[in-house]
Amino acid sequence: MERDIIKIDNLEVYAYHGVLPAENELGQKFYVNAQLEVDLRPAGLKDELHLSVNYGEVCHFIHDYMTNNRFKLIEAIAEQMAEEVLLHYKRVTGITLEIRKPQAPIGLAFESVSVCVHRQWHRTYIACGSNLGEREQFIESAVRSMCNHPSCRVLQESELLQSTPYGMEEQGEFVNGVVEMDTLLPPMELLDYLHTLEQIAGRERTAHWGPRTLDLDILLYDDFIIDTETLTIPHPDMSNRDFVLQPLAELAGYMRHPLTHLTIQEMLTDLQRRMIAHIKQ
């Protein structure tokens, strides 16, 4: 699907970035190219600026950010300024940002060196579970932390449901739910963040599928397909877990699994049929 874009070409900024002391003292010209991903149809239909993004304000925002901060690397400028634009302008869902440095201290004839990054908000679904201690409180505390994280926007929370243990049955009942969230964190950084929340809740990884104060799993991350030793997306066993599919269907039953292409509701219906067939055997 084609994306609507606001383009800013060759915005000139005089700033003080570089590894060499002279670059920090004397400064030099930088040029910024930006492509802002924005749904422009509402503004196009209504002809109202507040329904779009004021590109003049964005230009001044970029200029002020580059002049009020100092970095050694243009990689750092691009990375951190891209995030700041996404955080500041709620209608911007993604940004491609190029920082050009035509006066880089290379000592050879060249036009410019540049760094270009693309950053965007990603839709993810996080499964939450607990079967030790104050189960609801552990989950609520984790969701509250997600809400307070600057690179996360919690959109919806499912109802919490009680479920019997999965895998290791000799343990207490679980409370489970799903959180729908937009995030700027890449998958591995998101996983590390969720592990930190589990550690804060006192989780001890003593047995596979064993009891835990808090369990946070990435179910889906856009339509990404990832299979590594530490992370698999989509979650590899979600199709067999009604305590995952039920709250997930509550939030996004229409969404399709990127591998099976079944909707979450279709997956839940199929699992319920299999469970009924198993009981009848």
Side-chain angles (χ1 to χ4, degrees):
M1 185 174 65
E2 298 234 351
R3 295 171 296 187
D4 298 338
I5 291 174
I6 295 174
K7 296 179 70 174
I8 299 168
D9 291 330
N10 291 321
L11 175 66
E12 183 179 306
V13 181
Y14 198 93
Y16 299 81
H17 307 293
V19 175
L20 301 179
E23 295 179 290
N24 303 141
E25 294 170 6
L26 302 176
Q28 59 191 293
K29 289 181 181 178
F30 295 84
Y31 291 91
V32 180
N33 295 315
Q35 294 188 13
L36 312 176
E37 296 170 20
V38 183
D39 181 5
L40 299 179
R41 183 163 177 79
L45 292 174
K46 299 291 187 179
D47 198 21
E48 294 287 346
L49 179 58
H50 73 274
L51 297 175
S52 182
V53 173
N54 187 324
Y55 47 78
E57 288 185 6
V58 177
C59 287
H60 283 278
F61 183 91
I62 291 172
H63 177 275
D64 292 346
Y65 187 85
M66 289 191 67
T67 55
N68 293 334
N69 296 277
R70 295 196 180 192
F71 298 94
K72 290 184 292 185
L73 304 178
I74 55 176
E75 292 90 337
I77 303 171
E79 182 67 44
Q80 298 189 39
M81 189 162 64
E83 180 168 334
E84 288 300 318
V85 171
L86 289 168
L87 291 172
H88 190 80
Y89 294 94
K90 304 304 183 185
R91 290 185 176 274
V92 178
T93 58
I95 182 172
T96 300
L97 189 63
E98 181 186 22
I99 310 296
R100 291 201 301 114
K101 190 175 182 179
Q103 297 172 308
I106 294 176
L108 295 170
F110 70 102
E111 184 173 315
S112 71
V113 294
S114 67
V115 164
C116 185
V117 302
H118 175 78
R119 299 293 180 261
Q120 68 180 76
W121 288 100
H122 298 275
R123 181 65 49 86
T124 185
Y125 293 85
I126 310 298
C128 309
S130 174
N131 75 332
L132 286 177
E134 299 295 329
R135 300 171 301 171
E136 292 87 352
Q137 185 174 329
F138 282 127
I139 293 175
E140 290 172 3
S141 178
V143 174
R144 191 161 55 248
S145 295
M146 294 178 202
C147 290
N148 292 330
H149 194 292
S151 296
C152 297
R153 295 175 180 168
V154 173
L155 304 175
Q156 293 189 86
E157 304 171 49
S158 74
E159 295 292 330
L160 296 179
L161 56 86
Q162 299 269 354
S163 67
T164 57
Y166 182 87
M168 183 185 292
E169 297 183 358
E170 298 300 321
Q171 56 181 309
E173 286 197 339
F174 275 83
V175 170
N176 294 98
V178 170
V179 172
E180 179 183 29
M181 182 172 72
D182 283 347
T183 185
L184 297 176
L185 298 175
M188 286 306 304
E189 290 183 24
L190 177 60
L191 180 65
D192 289 341
Y193 171 59
L194 297 180
H195 283 170
T196 298
L197 294 182
E198 291 176 340
Q199 292 170 2
I200 291 172
R203 173 168 178 174
E204 297 180 0
R205 298 178 181 272
T206 55
H208 186 52
W209 285 334
R212 65 215 79 164
T213 55
L214 183 63
D215 188 23
L216 300 172
D217 291 321
I218 304 173
L219 301 175
L220 298 164
Y221 185 100
D222 288 344
D223 57 356
F224 281 29
I225 298 172
I226 300 172
D227 189 10
T228 69
E229 291 184 2
T230 54
L231 178 61
T232 301
I233 299 175
H235 191 283
D237 203 29
M238 60 186 290
S239 62
N240 297 316
R241 302 183 179 189
D242 63 328
F243 57 87
V244 167
L245 292 178
Q246 188 172 327
L248 182 56
E250 177 189 332
L251 301 182
Y254 59 87
M255 188 170 48
R256 293 189 179 275
H257 191 284
L259 288 173
T260 67
H261 304 296
L262 296 173
T263 68
I264 302 302
Q265 185 59 56
E266 288 171 339
M267 293 174 65
L268 176 59
T269 301
D270 177 68
L271 176 59
Q272 291 171 337
R273 287 172 180 164
R274 286 189 280 128
M275 293 172 67
I276 292 173
H278 179 74
I279 292 174
K280 290 181 177 180
Q281 288 180 353

